[in-house]
Amino acid sequence: MKKFSFAIIALTFVTAIHAQNGINTPYSRYGFGIQSERAMGFNKGMGGVAQGFRNGQQINLANPASYSDADSLTALFDLGLSLQNGNYKMGDLQQNIRNTSFDYFAFQFRATKNWGIALGIMPITNIKYNFTSSSEALSGTENITSSYSFNGDGGLREVILGMGWRPFMPISLGFNASYLWGDYTHNMTMSFSESTAFSMARIYSAEISTYNLQAGFQFIQPINKTDKIVIGGTYTLGHDVNNDAYRKTETLNSATIETESIDTIRNAFQLPHAIAAGITYYRSDRLRIGVDFELQKWSECKFPNQQTAISTSTTPSSESYQALKGQLNDRTKLSAGFDWTPNPLSLGSYFNRCTYKAGAYYSKSYANADVTGTIKDKPYEFGVSAGITLPVANKNIWYNIPRINLSVQWVHTNIPYLNAATLRQSVLKENYLRFCIGVTFSERWFDKWKVQ
């Protein structure tokens, strides 16, 4: 078992080193990039439902109130990764891209009675894209065409330290404090078919480091001796991010920089206030059914205005570069899911001890592909998922054991944008098939051993 555990840990972290960024899409150029979900291995197959989930054998970073249910004898380690195939379609153009990503690592233990502590690390946004526009003839010319290239890289990561406390039944309270850090770089270049013509380049960049605070609660309402309902919710504090944003504009002659200017925005960012709430029904220890709703107020956050066009005037950086509100949309998400274990204590069939799960979600993205208001439709995303939890144990032990969480997700995104060539609405469609694996290790650190 130890060899198996170390092998899984080594495989996960080697993959994390070589594949930190699990996306490759032009959709990631907006805001801080594509948002990662705070889903763990146990609920990735359930649409990410988490607010009302509490189980001493699972780490639920989405709601810190759940830490109060930490098992008294064991320390939990949980880690996960994903493999995905993405299909991107824009008009008649299609492309398939495969990616691998590190999803999370978490650790949880009970400090004292009704008091649990958790530590975790996970990506919260990802940026990765590289594409080129078609050539266009310049106005007033016959032989000179222009083309644009766009590429970006970066994202944010988060280290979380949290605690959960149950002061009395039926209330549990929790608190997460986290450190966020990362960066982004967006490059846009306009070049010409005429070799003597100067090309133009614009580079947007920033480095982010800040804190995040989240409070959570769970209310446990018994229905009878075996069944109950848990109502959960979290509030995440919005605040200013005291980091600067930069815009560099260059005029290039071949590879030589002829002119260069840099614009700076001081204290250019804000993080949103966010609320989430959910309810979960428990039928004994065999069935859980949950529904969650989440709202993030990104429309009230200031963010640098990243213009997609490049001026061809002699003073290309004269355009106003500011941090403005309304650059992003409010994000909403509705998710539902369940898991079912036929018989957790079965001494017969192994598959009666496995947990089967399924779920779905619908989300309005925070990305705003047209700040002019010409496009009225908003980006949206929906997904369905299914999974299974496999216990890893010998024939004598079935509690406090390692578990392997396997899930498959299908996700569709629809991103409307203003086509610069036709000045009409076009749509970027993305479809993802994602395979996720999570491994939960349960170590009996707090057993009181006796010597006979």
Side-chain angles (χ1 to χ4, degrees):
M1 191 65 242
K2 289 182 178 179
K3 292 180 180 179
F4 173 79
S5 302
F6 284 124
I8 293 295
I9 292 175
L11 174 62
T12 301
F13 281 99
V14 167
T15 304
I17 292 172
H18 292 282
Q20 290 289 332
N21 200 323
I23 54 96
N24 195 327
T25 165
Y27 190 25
S28 66
R29 80 165 304 275
Y30 302 105
F32 290 111
I34 296 291
Q35 289 183 290
S36 302
E37 301 300 330
R38 298 173 74 94
M40 312 293 287
F42 80 91
N43 65 340
K44 279 183 175 290
M46 292 184 279
V49 177
Q51 292 300 316
F53 282 9
R54 56 187 288 113
N55 184 314
Q57 294 301 303
Q58 296 169 342
I59 306 176
N60 180 12
L61 294 178
N63 190 336
S66 65
Y67 308 156
S68 65
D69 201 39
D71 185 75
S72 62
L73 299 179
T74 59
L76 296 179
F77 299 84
D78 200 351
L79 49 87
L81 58 87
S82 296
L83 301 91
Q84 74 174 21
N85 180 78
N87 174 263
Y88 311 100
K89 185 175 182 180
M90 183 184 294
D92 296 329
L93 302 177
Q94 288 195 67
Q95 186 176 13
N96 289 315
I97 298 177
R98 294 182 177 88
N99 297 99
T100 304
S101 65
F102 169 73
D103 289 343
Y104 64 86
F105 174 78
F107 168 59
Q108 176 180 285
F109 66 96
R110 194 181 84 157
T112 186
K113 185 178 181 180
N114 298 327
W115 192 285
I117 294 177
L119 176 69
I121 181 171
M122 60 174 55
I124 56 175
T125 67
N126 285 306
I127 300 172
K128 187 72 174 179
Y129 62 91
N130 190 342
F131 63 96
T132 303
S133 71
S134 58
S135 299
E136 300 176 4
L138 290 182
S139 177
T141 68
E142 296 182 357
N143 301 320
I144 301 178
T145 60
S146 64
S147 61
Y148 291 84
S149 64
F150 304 84
N151 64 80
D153 190 51
L156 301 180
R157 293 160 291 281
E158 182 178 31
V159 173
I160 304 166
L161 176 62
M163 59 185 66
W165 175 48
R166 192 180 71 190
F168 53 86
M169 282 295 290
I171 297 294
S172 285
L173 305 174
F175 181 77
N176 277 335
S178 57
Y179 173 69
L180 279 68
W181 82 100
D183 56 31
Y184 70 71
T185 302
H186 300 285
N187 297 287
M188 291 170 278
T189 303
M190 180 175 67
S191 56
F192 301 94
S193 58
E194 175 59 51
S195 60
T196 59
F198 285 14
S199 60
M200 311 290 294
R202 179 163 285 169
I203 303 168
Y204 297 91
S205 63
E207 293 187 358
I208 309 297
S209 60
T210 187
Y211 67 92
N212 210 7
L213 301 176
Q214 182 185 56
F217 81 94
Q218 288 184 329
F219 177 85
I220 304 99
Q221 176 59 57
I223 300 175
N224 52 44
K225 291 184 178 180
T226 59
D227 301 352
K228 63 183 177 181
I229 290 176
V230 178
I231 300 172
T234 57
Y235 167 72
T236 303
L237 178 68
H239 60 88
D240 292 337
V241 178
N242 298 319
N243 296 122
D244 302 335
Y246 304 94
R247 181 181 71 173
K248 181 190 292 186
T249 306
E250 299 175 340
T251 303
L252 305 172
N253 184 2
S254 297
T256 304
I257 299 176
E258 297 291 336
T259 63
E260 179 182 276
S261 63
I262 299 178
D263 301 296
T264 303
I265 304 176
R266 303 297 182 188
N267 304 324
F269 307 95
Q270 289 178 317
L271 291 179
H273 297 281
I275 58 172
I279 183 170
T280 301
Y281 166 72
Y282 292 70
R283 182 168 180 79
S284 184
D285 56 355
R286 302 190 181 195
L287 176 66
R288 295 185 297 184
I289 303 174
V291 178
D292 282 1
F293 176 77
E294 181 182 13
L295 169 64
Q296 299 176 356
K297 296 292 292 182
W298 285 99
S299 65
E300 299 178 359
C301 297
K302 62 181 180 181
F303 198 86
N305 57 328
Q306 298 180 358
Q307 303 296 328
T308 58
I310 300 178
S311 172
T312 57
S313 68
T314 57
T315 57
S317 63
S318 62
E319 303 166 16
S320 176
Y321 184 49
Q322 306 175 58
L324 304 172
K325 294 184 179 181
Q327 300 290 307
L328 301 169
N329 298 318
D330 290 340
R331 182 179 189 262
T332 58
K333 180 183 179 183
L334 179 65
S335 53
F338 75 92
D339 66 0
W340 172 62
T341 308
N343 188 352
L345 302 179
S346 172
L347 298 178
S349 172
Y350 170 80
F351 293 102
N352 282 339
R353 294 186 294 270
C354 296
T355 301
Y356 306 90
K357 56 197 73 177
Y361 72 89
Y362 177 84
S363 173
K364 288 290 186 71
S365 171
Y366 81 138
N368 188 355
D370 176 38
V371 295
T372 67
T374 304
I375 302 301
K376 301 302 181 182
D377 295 338
K378 303 298 183 183
Y380 66 84
E381 174 182 317
F382 64 84
V384 294
S385 57
I388 185 172
T389 297
L390 304 172
V392 180
N394 62 38
K395 63 181 180 179
N396 298 316
I397 303 175
W398 296 108
Y399 189 69
N400 293 336
I401 57 175
R403 290 174 170 84
I404 299 177
N405 297 290
L406 303 175
S407 61
V408 58
Q409 302 171 332
W410 180 80
V411 178
H412 171 79
T413 64
N414 191 89
I415 305 101
Y417 67 96
L418 182 65
N419 190 311
T422 64
L423 298 180
R424 294 182 179 179
Q425 177 174 314
S426 296
V427 177
L428 168 64
K429 296 181 180 180
E430 302 177 347
N431 294 291
Y432 297 97
L433 183 62
R434 186 177 297 133
F435 298 93
C436 309
I437 179 172
V439 182
T440 302
F441 301 95
S442 183
E443 298 293 334
R444 299 179 67 86
W445 283 3
F446 306 108
D447 268 342
K448 295 181 180 180
W449 301 98
K450 293 182 179 180
V451 176
Q452 294 182 352

